[in-house]
Amino acid sequence: MIAAVLEAPKKLALQEIETPECPEGGLLLRMKACSICSTDLKMLNHGQKDLVYPRILGHEISGVIAESRAEASGLQEGERVQISPGIACGSCISCRRGADNQCENIQIIGFNRDGGFAEYIQVPKESVRNGGINLIPDGLSFEYAALAEPLACCLNGQQLSRVGEGDVVLIFGAGPAGCLHAMLARSRGASAVIMAEPLERRVSLARVSRPDVVIDPGEEDVRERIMEFTDGWGVDAMMLASRDVAVDEALLSLLAPRGRICLFSGLPEDQAYPNLNFNTVHYRENLITGSYGCTYVQNKEAIELIASGSLDVSRLITKRVSLEEIEEGMEHAEKREGLKAVVTDKSGGDGLGR
Ligand SMILES: [Zn+2]
Ligand SMILES: [Zn+2]
């Protein structure tokens, strides 16, 4: 089969490699769509903590079951599925608590196991057993189904920071994750969605998620705009979907009483040790949480949200490339000229590659 193999940082090569076998108790999937994530870019350019080389990247996966050795699960050849990329053990404390993305034995497809930028992909028995396989509802395309994983990551962030009814939500970064956050916050009942984005072309792209206000932090005083918009209340929840946000006093000061901050993106190392007055956190009962990845249940919920139409992801995809054109897709993501790039079956063949 053809696969895009990352051999070392910045060395992505299309290779003809052996088609993997269907693992015992698992599935062999014919890839149909795999969207490109900013984490893929990070891994391509710099590596990542869970990445092992050489590696086929791609963790936003949908396809058709080409072979099933998971008969007991009822999953059959020909079924359309989306895959939750985490492979959790199912028995550690985090797993038993439903926080399987924090599993102490976790492996992740596209990080330390081969991912979806290939014609075929192995899905192990653990994924089947733990509920990592989601049937794609009729009428939902493979491309939109692939977006369930990034949406599930946003869902994790918003659940941890308790975004809900009546909240004023501020999202830093109007890239694909920021836009998904905006749509999701709206569907969870947020009363207002504010986005902060310095890149002009992304400000116009951000309109796909219909924010109430878009602030350019390079040009405008963010605090002034927020306080003006919220009559001095501040924001109830803040999603940091950009690495370029300083976590500091000025940021904390945007929070309303009981306001929450979600560190959705990892911070650059030199920004990771902020100097904060935790008495502000104490008196105003603020909450600072991280979020990383998503759980099996959140994947399921995300695909249902997309299928229900309560979130319109159609305008989120701004580039479609074939597997052979993957570099173009990576470039699209890298240049931040659009939103989401998807490696997909452009020619209407039977899947990625040919
Ligand atoms: Zn991702
Ligand atoms: Zn576990």
Side-chain angles (χ1 to χ4, degrees):
M1 69 169 185
I2 309 268
V5 180
L6 184 62
E7 298 164 331
K10 297 190 204 289
K11 276 194 75 184
L12 185 67
L14 277 180
Q15 291 180 4
E16 177 75 48
I17 59 170
E18 191 106 0
T19 302
E21 288 186 355
C22 182
E24 196 196 325
L27 308 171
L28 184 69
L29 205 69
R30 179 80 176 95
M31 284 300 303
K32 286 290 204 171
C34 192
S35 39
I36 296 176
C37 172
S38 61
T39 314
D40 293 320
L41 270 182
K42 188 173 159 190
M43 291 195 281
L44 175 64
N45 292 325
H46 312 287
Q48 201 269 352
K49 83 173 179 65
D50 291 321
L51 176 67
V52 182
Y53 299 97
R55 181 63 58 226
I56 302 171
L57 303 179
H59 58 272
E60 301 179 359
I61 294 164
S62 66
V64 172
I65 299 176
E67 193 181 335
S68 172
R69 292 179 68 192
E71 292 79 9
S73 68
L75 290 166
Q76 287 175 9
E77 193 186 316
E79 282 182 307
R80 305 162 75 240
V81 292
Q82 179 265 344
I83 308 296
S84 187
I87 302 166
C89 73
S91 55
C92 72
I93 296 176
S94 288
C95 280
R96 280 184 275 139
R97 288 180 175 173
D100 44 83
N101 61 323
Q102 291 290 341
C103 169
E104 61 187 55
N105 306 304
I106 200 162
Q107 293 202 305
I108 308 173
I109 294 176
F111 291 70
N112 42 23
R113 293 181 73 121
D114 280 336
F117 298 137
E119 288 183 67
Y120 291 89
I121 183 174
Q122 282 185 324
V123 183
K125 60 175 184 296
E126 292 83 358
S127 297
V128 174
R129 189 184 61 206
N130 295 334
I133 320 295
N134 298 306
L135 292 176
I136 301 175
D138 287 343
L140 186 66
S141 72
F142 289 108
E143 293 176 1
Y144 297 167
L147 298 176
E149 193 275 342
L151 178 61
C153 295
C154 296
L155 193 55
N156 187 29
Q158 295 202 12
Q159 286 177 343
L160 287 166
S161 54
R162 304 181 205 146
V163 173
E165 207 64 48
D167 281 342
V168 177
V169 181
L170 169 63
I171 295 151
F172 279 93
C179 289
L180 278 172
H181 268 302
M183 294 178 195
L184 180 63
R186 194 75 82 185
S187 81
R188 293 172 70 81
S191 64
V193 174
I194 306 168
M195 296 179 90
E197 169 61 58
L199 281 180
E200 205 173 305
R201 57 182 178 281
R202 281 225 153 143
V203 170
S204 49
L205 285 164
R207 306 279 168 214
V208 307
S209 52
R210 302 198 172 86
D212 295 277
V213 189
V214 184
I215 302 173
D216 176 351
E219 297 286 319
E220 300 167 276
D221 184 319
V222 177
R223 188 179 153 75
E224 205 170 282
R225 286 292 307 277
I226 299 276
M227 292 307 161
E228 184 186 76
F229 184 79
T230 61
D231 287 330
W233 172 252
V235 300
D236 299 297
M238 206 188 287
M239 316 305 300
L240 308 189
S242 159
R243 285 166 60 81
D244 306 325
V245 187
V247 178
D248 56 14
E249 283 299 306
L251 193 77
L252 268 188
S253 77
L254 303 176
L255 286 178
R258 294 199 172 168
R260 290 88 62 195
I261 296 182
C262 175
L263 300 170
F264 184 78
S265 296
L267 299 173
E269 192 59 21
D270 62 341
Q271 300 285 315
Y273 304 88
N275 198 359
L276 291 175
N277 179 356
F278 277 93
N279 277 333
T280 312
V281 177
H282 164 69
Y283 286 118
R284 290 173 69 84
E285 300 181 334
N286 295 136
L287 173 79
I288 301 174
T289 181
S291 76
Y292 177 63
C294 51
T295 67
Y296 293 127
V297 170
Q298 285 160 346
N299 259 262
K300 234 174 245 327
E301 235 177 282
I303 199 164
E304 281 161 16
L305 267 173
I306 294 173
S308 75
S310 63
L311 246 99
D312 178 12
V313 294
S314 62
R315 289 163 72 200
L316 210 65
I317 298 176
T318 48
K319 181 92 177 169
R320 289 176 166 83
V321 295
S322 67
L323 182 57
E324 290 76 7
E325 298 163 338
I326 187 167
E327 298 244 20
E328 267 179 61
M330 291 286 186
E331 234 179 80
H332 183 76
E334 174 113 61
K335 287 189 178 151
R336 304 201 278 183
E337 58 193 17
L339 292 169
K340 205 78 176 160
V342 186
V343 177
T344 184
D345 173 15
K346 282 196 341 184
S347 55
D350 68 351
L352 297 193
R354 54 192 71 176

